[in-house]
Amino acid sequence: MRKHNQEWWRGAVIYQVYPRSFMDSNQDGIGDLPGITAKIPYIASLNVDAIWLSPFFTSPMKDFGYDVSNYRDVDPIFGTLEDFDQLIAATHQHNLKVIIDQVLSHTSDQHPWFKESRSSKTNNKADWYVWADPKADGSPPNNWLSIFGGSAWTWDSRRRQYYLHNFLSSQPDLNFHNPNVVQQLLNDVEFWLKRGVDGFRLDTANFYFHDEKLRNNPPSKKIVDGSIGVRPDNPYGYQQHIYDKTRPENLEFLQKLRALLDRYPNTTTVGEIGCDHSLKTMAMYTSQGNKLHMAYSFDLLTEQSSADFLQITMENMEAALGDGWPCWSLGNHDVARVLSRWGKTEASQAQAKAYMHFLLTQRGSICVYQGEELGLTEAELAFEELQDPYGITFWPEFKGRDGCRTPMPWQHDQHNAGFSDVKPWLPVPQEHYQLSVDQQQTQTDSVLNAYRDFLAWRKTQPALLTGSIDYLTAPEGILLYQRSHENQHLLVAINLNQQAVTIPLSQVTDAQVEVLPAPHCLGQLQHNTLNLGAFETLIMMLN
C-alpha cells in the first residue's frame, strides 16, 4: 500500500538512479528499466523513501537523455512504456515513491517541434524556440555563453537566424514566452502524473525564461568556484548570468506547475538551481507553498569541504530560506564522487561514513546518488574511454562527468561486476570490484550497512526528519549542531579532522546529555568530555 502523507517529501531520502549505469537486463552494455525493476528490493533495503530516475525518454543521447526528442515515450535502449509501468508498480509495492527527471528548458534538435520550427519563419512552431537575427556584421545577437563551451547561439542556414542553446548546440532552448509552449509542457508533465509518478526532479529549473530584449550579460566582478559551470578553464564563469537565466517570469511558470501538481495529491517537485545567487533563488522558488516543493543547489557539490565551509553554507541557507524547504546532496551524475572530491587521496570508509552522517542529519530532504552507499570513488578514465561531450571538449583540465557514471558494481567475482555480460558503455574500475554490493552485504561495518542502519534509525527520530537546526561554535574541523522537534532535542558532533579530538562538554552546552545508540557513530562521552576519533560522529539527546 502507498502511504497517503501529502508531505511525505519533507525529510525524505531520495535515491538517484542513473539508468544507463544501474543494471543491464538485456545484455547490450547499457542499463535499462527492467534492470532497475529487478533491483527495487535492493533499493528498498536501503530504507530510503523514493527513487529519482535520470532521463529515460526518447533521445539521440548527445547528452545522454538530457536532450529529449519525445517527452511521452521511453527510449528503446531503456525499454518500453510497459516496462516503465511495471517499474512504477514494483516500486509502489515496496512502499517507495517514484520521481522522474523533467528536462523542460530545452529539447533535442531531433525533436519534431524543432524540426518544424527551423523549417521556416512562418510555420506553426516558428516561435517555439528562441530565434534571433544576427548583428549587422553577422555575429551572434549578444554575448551569452553555453555552459558546454563557446557561444550560446548557433547559426541555422534554413532560417538564416541564430537559435539559443544554454548547453550543447544540439539542445535548443524552448521559448517559454510563448503560452502554447508552456501549455504543451504542462500537458506532457501531466502525462506522467496520470501514469502514477509521485513527483519530478526539474533539470535546470531556473533556465526556463530568457530576457526578451536579449541584453548582454555584464562581466563577473570575480569568479567564484562552486556555481554550475564555473571553473577557471570555462569562460561561462566570466559573466553575471542575469539575462540568460533566473528571470522573474520563471516564478509564474513554477506557480502554474505547482497548480498542476496540487491536482494530484501526494506529488512533489525538486528543482535543480544553478546560478550566481543559488541560495537566494532557492528561497524564492520554494517559498509560500505555491511554487517548488523543494530545491537543491550546487553549494555542496564543490571541492570545498572544510567544517567552516559546510557550517557557513548551512547557516546562509537557513538565513535565506524562510519558509522554503531545501534538498541536499553531496553527489550526483554531474560531479566527481564525493569521496574523491572531499576525501582526496586519503579517502577511506571512515570518511564515507562521516559524510553520510553529515548529510543525513541536515534539515531538509536528501538525495543519495547511486554508489555513494558503497563508498565508491571517482573512476579515472583514459581519453579514449570518454563518452561525455563536456569532458571531451575541456580535456585534460576537466575530464567530464563519466568518472561518476561508471556502472554499479553488484558482484565482485563476475564479469563487469555483475552489471552486464558484455562490454559496458563505460568500464567498471578495478577498485570498485572490492566495494561491490555482495562484498559489503556481509560486512557489518561496511559503508553499505552503515547507510542501511542509519537510514532505518533516522526514520525514528522526528528531530532529524523535520526539526529545526542550529549550528554551534566548535573547534576547527568539528561540526556541532542541534536538531529540535517539539520535545526532542539532539546534539550532533562530527569530527572531520584526520586526528582525534577531545571537547569539554561545558564548551558546548550546559544541559544534561544522553548518548544515543545511533548506528555507526563511534564517538564517546566520558567524564563530561566528547572524545571523537578521526571522522567519528556522536549523537546525543539533550535533556
Side-chain angles (χ1 to χ4, degrees):
M1 287 289 294
R2 297 168 68 181
K3 291 180 181 176
H4 291 288
N5 170 13
Q6 293 212 22
E7 293 211 329
W8 62 266
W9 47 271
R10 285 191 188 272
V13 177
I14 303 163
Y15 184 78
Q16 182 192 353
V17 173
Y18 192 71
R20 293 183 74 88
S21 301
F22 200 63
M23 185 66 195
D24 175 18
S25 73
N26 63 350
Q27 307 309 322
D28 63 355
I30 298 173
D32 45 49
L33 297 184
I36 298 169
T37 301
K39 294 296 184 181
I40 292 298
Y42 166 78
I43 298 174
S45 79
L46 299 175
N47 298 306
V48 297
D49 302 289
I51 63 171
W52 149 25
L53 300 176
S54 289
F56 51 82
F57 313 107
T58 312
S59 167
M61 299 294 163
K62 298 286 181 64
D63 191 25
F64 300 104
Y66 285 91
D67 48 331
V68 178
S69 58
N70 185 344
Y71 282 108
R72 299 194 185 197
D73 206 354
V74 175
D75 194 276
I77 66 169
F78 296 129
T80 63
L81 275 174
E82 290 71 27
D83 291 327
F84 179 79
D85 292 340
Q86 290 174 16
L87 189 157
I88 285 268
T91 307
H92 287 162
Q93 284 170 5
H94 282 82
N95 218 10
L96 294 169
K97 307 286 189 181
V98 180
I99 294 171
I100 66 172
D101 242 302
Q102 287 289 277
V103 190
L104 304 180
S105 70
H106 53 267
T107 71
S108 164
D109 60 0
Q110 300 305 305
H111 198 295
W113 301 344
F114 187 70
K115 289 182 177 180
E116 182 176 353
S117 186
R118 77 190 317 181
S119 66
S120 71
K121 295 181 181 179
T122 57
N123 64 78
N124 289 333
K125 292 186 172 57
D127 59 348
W128 275 45
Y129 293 81
V130 184
W131 294 97
D133 292 327
K135 291 180 180 177
D137 62 0
S139 59
N142 60 27
N143 70 348
W144 297 353
L145 295 172
S146 162
I147 286 177
F148 286 173
S151 173
W153 297 95
T154 288
W155 179 253
D156 185 82
S157 57
R158 298 167 186 80
R159 285 186 52 144
R160 298 183 185 179
Q161 285 182 306
Y162 285 94
Y163 65 85
L164 177 67
H165 55 91
N166 277 292
F167 300 92
L168 295 175
S169 60
S170 57
Q171 294 170 296
D173 276 42
L174 285 162
N175 178 18
F176 275 71
H177 292 284
N178 183 334
N180 294 326
V181 170
V182 169
Q183 188 56 55
Q184 180 62 55
L185 290 172
L186 292 174
N187 292 345
D188 289 338
V189 167
E190 188 168 22
F191 172 85
W192 296 101
L193 288 168
K194 290 177 177 177
R195 263 197 137 77
V197 304
D198 303 290
F200 302 96
R201 179 266 186 182
L202 299 168
D203 187 62
T204 60
N206 58 308
F207 279 74
Y208 299 147
F209 279 84
H210 66 285
D211 175 47
E212 281 194 292
K213 296 179 181 177
L214 303 182
R215 286 171 283 190
N216 283 327
N217 283 329
S220 292
K221 295 173 183 174
K222 63 177 181 177
I223 301 172
V224 180
D225 182 27
S227 63
I228 184 171
V230 176
R231 293 182 318 280
D233 56 13
N234 189 344
Y236 190 80
Y238 288 47
Q239 293 182 0
Q240 296 179 57
H241 294 277
I242 62 176
Y243 292 120
D244 53 350
K245 64 183 182 184
T246 323
R247 301 298 299 157
E249 301 95 329
N250 227 36
L251 295 172
E252 184 179 347
F253 172 74
L254 295 179
Q255 289 169 353
K256 290 179 180 178
L257 182 65
R258 178 61 174 263
L260 170 61
L261 267 79
D262 285 347
R263 296 191 352 239
Y264 291 82
N266 313 312
T267 58
T268 193
T269 50
V270 53
E272 175 194 47
I273 308 297
C275 76
D276 302 337
H277 308 285
S278 56
L279 298 183
K280 177 182 176 183
T281 304
M282 283 175 68
M284 195 185 313
Y285 282 18
T286 61
S287 65
Q288 300 177 354
N290 65 351
K291 295 176 284 291
L292 297 178
H293 296 77
M294 48 187 168
Y296 75 87
S297 71
F298 293 74
D299 292 81
L300 294 182
L301 302 180
T302 68
E303 301 286 335
Q304 302 173 74
S305 61
S306 69
D308 280 349
F309 169 78
L310 297 178
Q311 180 164 341
I312 289 169
T313 299
M314 294 307 185
E315 288 182 325
N316 287 344
M317 169 61 75
E318 285 299 307
L321 204 56
D323 65 348
W325 189 258
C327 184
W328 295 110
S329 63
L330 301 184
N332 64 24
H333 61 288
D334 281 336
V335 294
R337 287 198 173 272
V338 65
L339 200 55
S340 296
R341 244 178 33 249
W342 287 7
K344 312 300 183 191
T345 56
E346 300 89 15
S348 65
Q349 285 203 342
Q351 281 174 292
K353 293 175 187 176
Y355 302 150
M356 174 200 75
H357 285 134
F358 165 71
L359 179 65
L360 298 179
T361 54
Q362 295 309 305
R363 187 183 86 91
S365 302
I366 307 296
C367 284
V368 174
Y369 179 51
Q370 67 181 48
E372 269 174 39
E373 79 278 15
L374 302 177
L376 296 187
T377 50
E378 181 80 352
E380 287 292 330
L381 302 178
F383 179 76
E384 55 270 18
E385 293 174 319
L386 295 188
Q387 302 289 329
D388 182 15
Y390 201 2
I392 292 169
T393 297
F394 285 99
W395 178 275
E397 286 76 16
F398 174 59
K399 299 178 181 179
R401 302 164 295 179
D402 291 321
C404 66
R405 297 177 175 183
T406 54
M408 272 285 286
W410 296 103
Q411 294 176 285
H412 75 286
D413 56 354
Q414 289 201 8
H415 194 48
N416 299 317
F419 167 75
S420 179
D421 292 341
V422 302
K423 182 180 178 181
W425 75 289
L426 285 173
V428 180
Q430 196 58 44
E431 63 271 19
H432 285 186
Y433 282 79
Q434 64 191 17
L435 298 171
S436 62
V437 172
D438 73 320
Q439 285 284 81
Q440 296 199 38
Q441 297 263 36
T442 56
Q443 302 166 359
T444 56
D445 63 344
S446 67
V447 176
L448 172 59
N449 282 318
Y451 268 86
R452 283 175 169 162
D453 297 343
F454 195 84
L455 281 167
W457 179 80
R458 180 180 177 273
K459 288 178 183 289
T460 68
Q461 306 298 318
L464 294 183
L465 295 176
T466 56
S468 63
I469 189 167
D470 292 290
Y471 270 82
L472 308 175
T473 302
E476 185 176 354
I478 307 296
L479 290 170
L480 280 172
Y481 44 95
Q482 184 174 323
R483 299 294 313 276
S484 299
H485 178 79
E486 295 180 353
N487 294 325
Q488 186 185 41
H489 305 280
L490 304 183
L491 179 66
V492 181
I494 304 176
N495 179 16
L496 296 181
N497 294 296
Q498 295 277 358
Q499 58 280 336
V501 297
T502 60
I503 307 169
L505 194 60
S506 58
Q507 289 184 6
V508 180
T509 179
D510 57 3
Q512 288 188 316
V513 301
E514 172 189 347
V515 175
L516 290 178
H520 305 272
C521 292
L522 302 178
Q524 296 182 324
L525 178 63
Q526 294 177 318
H527 309 300
N528 224 31
T529 299
L530 302 180
N531 297 310
L532 297 170
F535 300 106
E536 284 187 353
T537 299
L538 188 65
I539 300 180
M540 295 151 279
M541 177 85 79
L542 296 175
N543 296 319

